[in-house]
Amino acid sequence: MEIWEHLEITRKPEWKSGLNNKDIIHSLQELSIIGTPSVIEELIPLLLYHSKEIRTAAITTIHTLSLQLKNKNILYSSLKHSPIHIEKFKWYEEKFDKKEYRWIMQIASLNRNGYVREKAVIELGKLNHGESIPFILFRLSDWVKVVRSKAIHIFNTQFIRKEFVDNLVINLSIITQFDDIHRTDLSQIKNDILHFLIHDQKEEISKKFKKHPEKERRILAQNISEKNFEKRDFELFLSDKHFLIRILCLNHFDLLSATQNKSLLEDKSGKIRMATLDSFNKNDTEFSKILPSFIADTSGTVRQFAKYYLKNSNLNFEEIYLENLENNKQIIGSLLGLREMNAKEHTEKIASFLEHSSIRVIKTAFYVLSKLDRDKAYHFALQNLDTERVGIRNKVLDFLKHYPTPEVISKSRKIFYESDDEKLQLDVLKLFGKIGGYKIISDLIKGSISENKKIRILAANRIQQWKKDRVNTYTNPKQMDIEKAKNIYNIAFDIHEEKKYFKKNPLQDLDFFLNNK
């Protein structure tokens, strides 16, 4: 059944003959799975139904659907017209348990009627539950002054407490947006909340810091760094998985221990390594001492920074890179460094790393060769066109699209028509699409009638793109390619007409491009 059919069952069910509670409850359960928040308003009247079973099923479904609403504006626009009236609040309180009553009051707090919102805020204050905090926060900027005042009083007196620390942290993204509200000034409330969290409850915050979501950790860390930083916070920040939190340690660079400094200099993020180097006094002997080790950093920005400040030194960067490669040290940075120095005379040494055990090293060596020695890069790419190492294959295919030689096309066809590896076949088909032109259109046509559905779909899409490219790009194809395409076109067109793989034959209009050449 569709959503509207389930809704029809729930509308004034007492007037419909042949329905029983099980039918209505079943429809409510289905709506909780397939429904959208837009149906909530339609279900509110069931909260007044005489059957407790139906009332319970209704509020459960309403709450489930409301959880899909994350944004304040979407929450309001979806729930503001809900038919909840003040005179029924007593009924709701008597007929539902506290949790269900709270759910109803949370929805009521978003009602378009200011009296309903005010009463809902008061009730949420009485219920005093952490999950109501975002709904109280929304009302702090209510456009009705009375509602704002009630919400501010309730929040300040009842929710800035230790038992609600986790709930306040979860809602930090709402709290930090108070600065964007122009209807009223909430800066003091925002500052009070942040002071409470990072001063009064700092021990609790530090204890649970890693368990909080990323966005909230960043807000906490930023405010701790600015307003209440202590040396012990280095450990908290340095161990975080997000680089924007680790980098905050540099705001207190002078307090870092040698071990902590080393940790930042060896951080996996190039941005942090760069920022750490830049934090040193450039005239400091320690800076001069550590800088040479960053000449072969994996980050291009860091390498250039190091070489800039060492430009007047007697160091031979090329010799350093070659020595690193000889000793299997800083391989990736050294390979990239040779590329930056245009060291074409060392391509044999670079090519030796195409046999390395690390895929990352192989990809880097291949990239460097593609810039310094295209022949060596081409030979490697051709040899590895069908490699099982997908990361390398992707790089190879991206390179070979610029070199559609007879060798490349021949080997690609052999793979495409003989391989049992679906992913490899799809990758080669993508290569055909990138090569374009008349030399590969016959392969795309054959792909469109493949036994494999994924190959058919990809080939059909590539044929549509091929036709667009032909309109925008003039080419003078070889007659051999045209004839080959025509021969397979006639057979494939009939197969499409018979099999109906697609609603529209993907080869339709293709004959225009083949017959006018």
Side-chain angles (χ1 to χ4, degrees):
M1 292 175 67
E2 300 292 330
I3 291 176
W4 69 269
E5 293 175 296
H6 287 298
L7 281 175
E8 191 61 31
I9 289 174
T10 67
R11 290 189 183 110
K12 298 183 179 179
E14 69 274 15
W15 292 6
K16 295 183 172 71
S17 60
L19 278 181
N20 57 43
N21 286 1
K22 288 184 179 179
D23 295 325
I24 301 166
I25 291 170
H26 173 71
S27 284
L28 287 168
Q29 291 171 340
E30 287 297 305
L31 285 170
S32 72
I33 298 170
I34 66 172
T36 64
S38 62
V39 308
I40 290 176
E41 293 176 6
E42 299 256 18
L43 302 180
I44 294 294
L46 286 176
L47 300 179
L48 300 173
Y49 200 63
H50 59 78
S51 165
K52 181 179 180 180
E53 285 180 301
I54 291 178
R55 291 198 306 269
T56 301
I59 186 57
T60 301
T61 297
I62 288 169
H63 179 64
T64 300
L65 295 175
S66 71
L67 294 177
Q68 297 178 24
L69 302 167
K70 304 296 183 183
N71 178 279
K72 174 185 175 181
N73 293 330
I74 297 175
L75 264 170
Y76 180 68
S77 62
S78 299
L79 302 176
K80 65 180 178 180
H81 295 295
S82 298
I84 297 177
H85 307 287
I86 291 179
E87 58 268 22
K88 299 298 182 183
F89 277 29
K90 190 67 177 173
W91 163 277
Y92 295 139
E93 188 175 13
E94 291 174 352
K95 300 296 183 182
F96 293 90
D97 64 32
K98 282 190 175 183
K99 180 173 69 175
E100 294 166 342
Y101 181 54
R102 171 166 51 82
W103 291 347
I104 298 170
M105 290 300 101
Q106 288 171 356
I107 292 173
S109 72
L110 297 160
N111 199 276
R112 62 179 177 173
N113 186 308
Y115 294 109
V116 173
R117 295 197 304 278
E118 179 186 359
K119 179 65 174 172
V121 166
I122 293 171
E123 293 302 302
L124 289 175
K126 291 177 183 177
L127 293 164
N128 202 35
H129 195 282
E131 289 184 9
S132 296
I133 284 179
F135 297 91
I136 302 290
L137 290 173
F138 291 152
R139 299 281 59 83
L140 297 182
S141 60
D142 197 282
W143 47 95
V144 176
K145 186 176 181 181
V146 175
V147 179
R148 283 202 306 271
S149 299
K150 285 272 175 36
I152 290 171
H153 174 73
I154 289 169
F155 186 80
N156 282 338
T157 56
Q158 294 178 226
F159 289 100
I160 304 183
R161 293 181 180 176
K162 183 176 182 178
E163 60 264 38
F164 298 126
V165 166
D166 289 344
N167 301 98
L168 290 171
V169 170
I170 289 170
N171 289 287
L172 275 173
S173 56
I174 298 174
I175 294 164
T176 52
Q177 289 174 6
F178 284 174
D179 292 337
D180 300 328
I181 295 170
H182 303 296
R183 185 180 296 117
T184 186
D185 183 5
L186 296 177
S187 58
Q188 187 57 53
I189 295 177
K190 172 192 165 185
N191 291 336
D192 288 346
I193 296 169
L194 291 173
H195 186 277
F196 172 72
L197 292 175
I198 65 175
H199 287 84
D200 302 346
Q201 299 298 321
K202 189 173 181 183
E203 288 296 328
E204 185 72 11
I205 292 292
S206 298
K207 193 189 307 179
K208 297 181 178 180
F209 188 79
K210 292 182 180 179
K211 296 180 181 179
H212 292 306
E214 178 185 297
K215 187 175 182 180
E216 284 66 36
R217 289 203 317 278
R218 286 173 56 189
I219 294 171
L220 285 170
Q222 185 68 49
N223 280 277
I224 289 173
S225 176
E226 292 175 0
K227 299 165 184 173
N228 190 24
F229 188 84
E230 302 168 272
K231 279 190 175 183
R232 60 177 179 163
D233 295 324
F234 279 131
E235 184 179 349
L236 193 68
F237 289 7
L238 285 171
S239 62
D240 197 272
K241 60 184 179 182
H242 201 290
F243 82 95
L244 287 177
I245 293 177
R246 298 196 301 275
I247 205 170
L248 290 173
C249 293
L250 296 176
N251 293 341
H252 313 278
F253 184 76
D254 293 339
L255 299 177
L256 286 164
S257 68
T259 303
Q260 291 163 344
N261 209 326
K262 186 174 183 289
S263 175
L264 288 166
L265 287 169
E266 295 174 352
D267 195 275
K268 61 184 178 181
S269 167
K271 290 183 179 179
I272 291 183
R273 297 196 300 275
M274 177 68 240
T276 306
L277 284 172
D278 200 32
S279 297
F280 277 89
N281 181 337
K282 306 306 181 291
N283 297 318
D284 194 330
T285 55
E286 182 65 19
F287 178 68
S288 301
K289 183 180 176 182
I290 64 172
L291 206 52
S293 62
F294 291 93
I295 293 170
D297 193 87
T298 54
S299 164
T301 305
V302 174
R303 287 196 304 275
Q304 295 305 321
F305 178 89
K307 286 191 281 190
Y308 174 80
Y309 280 99
L310 291 169
K311 61 185 177 182
N312 295 322
S313 69
N314 295 322
L315 294 174
N316 185 315
F317 301 145
E318 188 173 305
E319 286 183 3
I320 290 173
Y321 294 141
L322 291 171
E323 185 178 340
N324 283 344
L325 295 180
E326 194 65 38
N327 296 317
N328 284 314
K329 288 172 49 184
Q330 294 184 291
I331 297 173
I332 289 175
S334 297
L335 288 169
L336 293 170
L338 289 174
R339 151 75 182 96
E340 290 159 358
M341 300 190 71
N342 201 31
K344 293 183 178 181
E345 65 274 23
H346 299 297
T347 55
E348 286 295 336
K349 183 65 178 176
I350 295 167
S352 69
F353 286 91
L354 294 174
E355 305 299 324
H356 200 273
S357 58
S358 165
I359 288 181
R360 190 180 176 201
V361 169
I362 295 172
K363 289 197 293 186
T364 304
F366 175 64
Y367 164 75
V368 173
L369 280 179
S370 72
K371 303 298 181 183
L372 301 181
D373 191 328
R374 301 249 170 139
D375 288 342
K376 283 187 174 65
Y378 172 82
H379 178 74
F380 174 82
L382 189 62
Q383 292 295 111
N384 287 273
L385 204 155
D386 57 350
T387 178
E388 294 180 357
R389 295 173 293 185
V390 178
I392 294 174
R393 189 165 78 216
N394 289 339
K395 294 295 182 183
V396 161
L397 291 168
D398 195 53
F399 174 82
L400 289 177
K401 70 184 179 184
H402 301 294
Y403 300 93
T405 64
E407 284 179 304
V408 170
I409 293 177
S410 175
K411 184 167 184 178
S412 298
R413 281 177 176 152
K414 182 177 176 62
I415 294 168
F416 183 63
Y417 296 119
E418 297 180 11
S419 174
D420 294 325
D421 186 336
E422 180 190 85
K423 180 68 172 66
L424 179 56
Q425 288 178 302
L426 290 169
D427 284 344
V428 170
L429 191 56
K430 290 174 187 175
L431 175 62
F432 287 148
K434 290 175 181 177
I435 289 173
Y438 283 85
K439 63 177 69 177
I440 53 80
I441 186 60
S442 61
D443 301 294
L444 297 182
I445 295 172
K446 288 179 184 178
S448 74
I449 55 172
S450 170
E451 296 280 329
N452 186 306
K453 183 179 179 180
K454 290 182 181 179
I455 291 176
R456 288 201 304 271
I457 292 172
L458 180 59
N461 289 336
R462 289 295 187 264
I463 288 170
Q464 301 314 308
Q465 185 60 49
W466 185 93
K467 288 191 285 188
K468 290 179 184 177
D469 292 342
R470 297 290 68 71
V471 171
N472 299 323
T473 308
Y474 173 78
T475 55
N476 188 20
K478 293 179 180 179
Q479 193 59 36
M480 176 181 65
D481 294 329
I482 293 288
E483 292 304 320
K484 186 177 181 180
K486 282 181 179 179
N487 290 337
I488 187 61
Y489 168 81
N490 293 324
I491 298 170
F493 189 92
D494 291 340
I495 291 174
H496 277 294
E497 291 296 301
E498 177 190 345
K499 300 281 189 179
K500 302 294 182 185
Y501 289 132
F502 303 91
K503 289 183 179 179
K504 180 182 176 182
N505 191 330
L507 304 185
Q508 190 173 323
D509 303 326
L510 186 60
D511 56 334
F512 169 81
F513 299 94
L514 302 179
N515 293 327
N516 287 277
K517 289 292 180 181

